[in-house]
Structure formats: C-alpha cells, structure tokens
Amino acid sequence: MALPVLSSSAVKFRRVLAHFPQELSLAFAYGSGVFRQAGASAEHGETNMLDFVFAVDDVVTWHMTNLLKNRSHYSFLKFFGPKKISTIQGYGAGIYYNTLVPCNGRMIKYGVISTDALIEDLFHWKTLYVAGRLQKPVKILAQNENSRLQAALVSNLKSAVIASFLMLPESFSEEDLFLQIAGLSYSGDFRMIIGEDRFKVQNIVKPNIAHFQKLYSTILQDCPQVVYKHQLGRLEASIDKSPEGQFTQLMALPKTLQQKITALVNPPGKNRDVEEILLQVAHDPDCGYLVHQGRSGPV
C-alpha cells in the first residue's frame, strides 16, 4: 500500500524544494499553510508560514551541502559545521529546524530528520513528533523507493487506527475516528488541549474529512471490524471490546506506547513481562482510558 499523494497542485511547494539538496528519502509539507482549517479564511492560508520536513539518509552530507547553498538559513550553529549540527539534531525528537526562512515570497520553516530516526518513530512512536504529523494529511513532495520507510509509513497509520479503536466506544462515526486519530499527537484530552486552541483538532479535521478519507480508506476497507462505505463517506464500526479482542489490539500497538501503558499498571519492583501486563489491561474496564493515559504521558 502506497501512502496517498494528495492530488491538489503542489507546484509552489516543489518550487521551494528546488532550493535544497535533492538527496531526500521523503519530503512533505504540512500544517495550516497547506490545508485549510475551520475558522481561517483562504487569504489567511496564503500568508501562513509553510512547514516542511525533509528526511535524509546521510545527515552530515546533507547539512554540508545545504550550508553551501543556504548558509543564511542557519543560526550561529553554522559556524560549528555540519557534524555539530547533526549531533545536536540527534537530541530530543531527532529533528533540526531552520525557521523564518524567506523563500519564493513566503516564509517557511523546515525540519531535517534522518531516515533511520523517522523510521524508528513511525514504527515505535519513540517521540511521535514526526509520526504524529504523518497521521494527518500531508502533501508528499518527494519519496524514494525505500521499502522499509514505506512499510513504516503504513505501519504508523495502522497503529493510529488501532490505538483509536481502543480509546473509542464500540460504535462510532467516521468523524469520531478521525478526530481521535488527529488528537493522538497532542498531550492530554484532545477536547481540552492545554496551551492550544481547545477546538484545534476539530478545526483540523472538519474541513479536511476528504483528505483523511483518502489517507485511511485502504486500511479501513481492509479492517474486519468496520464496514467502510467509502463512496458514501460512511463508516459502520463494531469494535470487539472483549478482553480477547482488546488484547490483540494492545499487542499490535507501537512498542513505546506499550511500555508507557505497562508502566501505569505495573507496581515498582514487580518484574512482569509486557504480554502479561497487557493481558491484565485488556480485562480492565478502563482499558481505553489507560491507552489514553499512556499516549498522554511524557515522551
């Protein structure tokens, strides 16, 4: 399954891409400068900063080439050279941003992440920083034939669906699912986001339902627990909330989220394996809440 490339024109974004070294395993644009949000005018979208992420196989070489082409994009770190920049990039979420960069008449910011760090985040949700962005519609601008990266991109979407199934009731609407997915990468209850517009997730999802449908349609059509009537834009879900069904879903979650859930219920000093603890969680009436707490906890 290929990650969908959204069909609207990407000419202006690819013109931006032309300013950078082309050794990219993945490049995408995201955010309010790309997709309209509820409550924002069309003109507002045309003036917002454009956000990009570039995944590269060889971080040092990419920064070295980019310093030659775009030295002014970097802060004082440019004086320390590409190796130091790459070392600093390795901390935290593994991504280095240059921001407030004028390009083709717009302000842009772009983050650089190693392909290996991106794959790790997509498979295991180590930080969910870039993986969370890729759970929402983005505009794919470049992608090479890295089969492991492709598998990780699809795995990230499937994990988002599974985690959302665990947190949602037995029956729910398509919009409920997309709201839950879009809220995964925010800490805390997505309906009461601290430090963000409390309606931010709704504002992202509601104007972009068609984009979410395109992103998740293949996964939902292949899912035995839902009847996805794509042509009607309707989803009929009947999620297995039995302990057995929830255990299967818990075992399919990304490794980091499993570890956070087990830390919530495993008393200190009690040495039990993850499978045993997740079986206990599967029998807990608050299973969905524990998944939510695990997702909301510190990275």
Side-chain angles (χ1 to χ4, degrees), residues 26-221:
L26 180 71
F28 64 90
Y30 67 95
S32 59
V34 183
F35 298 100
R36 187 174 69 84
Q37 294 189 11
S41 65
E43 292 78 11
H44 184 63
E46 287 300 315
T47 58
N48 279 7
M49 182 181 293
L50 296 176
D51 300 318
F52 299 87
V53 168
F54 304 148
V56 302
D57 291 343
D58 186 335
V59 174
V60 175
T61 299
W62 196 92
H63 281 300
M64 180 174 65
T65 306
N66 198 44
L67 280 164
L68 294 173
K69 290 171 68 75
N70 299 303
R71 189 171 179 82
S72 64
H73 294 184
Y74 290 81
S75 69
F76 69 92
L77 288 173
K78 58 178 168 279
F79 298 109
F80 294 95
K83 288 186 178 180
K84 185 65 173 179
I85 292 169
S86 302
T87 299
I88 291 171
Q89 179 180 315
Y91 295 113
I95 188 166
Y96 174 91
Y97 269 99
N98 283 327
T99 189
L100 296 175
V101 174
C103 186
N104 291 356
R106 295 286 294 271
M107 296 299 289
I108 73 167
K109 72 176 181 184
Y110 61 94
V112 183
I113 187 170
S114 77
T115 306
D116 286 343
L118 174 59
I119 289 172
E120 175 78 7
D121 198 32
L122 291 166
F123 272 129
H124 302 305
W125 290 8
K126 185 177 180 182
T127 70
L128 203 59
Y129 188 83
V130 180
R133 281 158 174 75
L134 285 162
Q135 289 165 0
K136 296 179 276 290
V138 302
K139 195 174 293 291
I140 302 292
L141 304 175
Q143 185 176 351
N144 68 13
E145 297 299 319
N146 184 326
S147 59
R148 187 161 170 259
L149 175 57
Q150 183 60 52
L153 288 164
V154 175
S155 175
N156 180 47
L157 298 181
K158 289 180 177 178
S159 295
V161 170
I162 292 168
S164 296
F165 282 175
L166 283 161
M167 289 186 280
L168 287 164
E170 186 176 351
S171 298
F172 49 84
S173 70
E174 180 184 57
E175 185 174 298
D176 290 336
L177 174 61
F178 294 150
L179 285 168
Q180 188 70 64
I181 288 172
L184 284 171
S185 53
Y186 295 98
S187 294
D189 187 337
F190 75 83
R191 293 162 297 182
M192 296 292 290
I193 302 165
I194 297 171
E196 297 272 0
D197 178 353
R198 62 178 298 187
F199 299 111
K200 184 176 180 68
V201 174
Q202 291 92 326
N203 290 344
I204 290 169
V205 172
K206 288 179 182 293
N208 295 296
I209 289 289
H211 293 317
F212 276 91
Q213 288 172 336
K214 185 166 187 176
L215 190 59
Y216 286 97
S217 62
T218 300
I219 290 170
L220 293 174
Q221 286 166 1

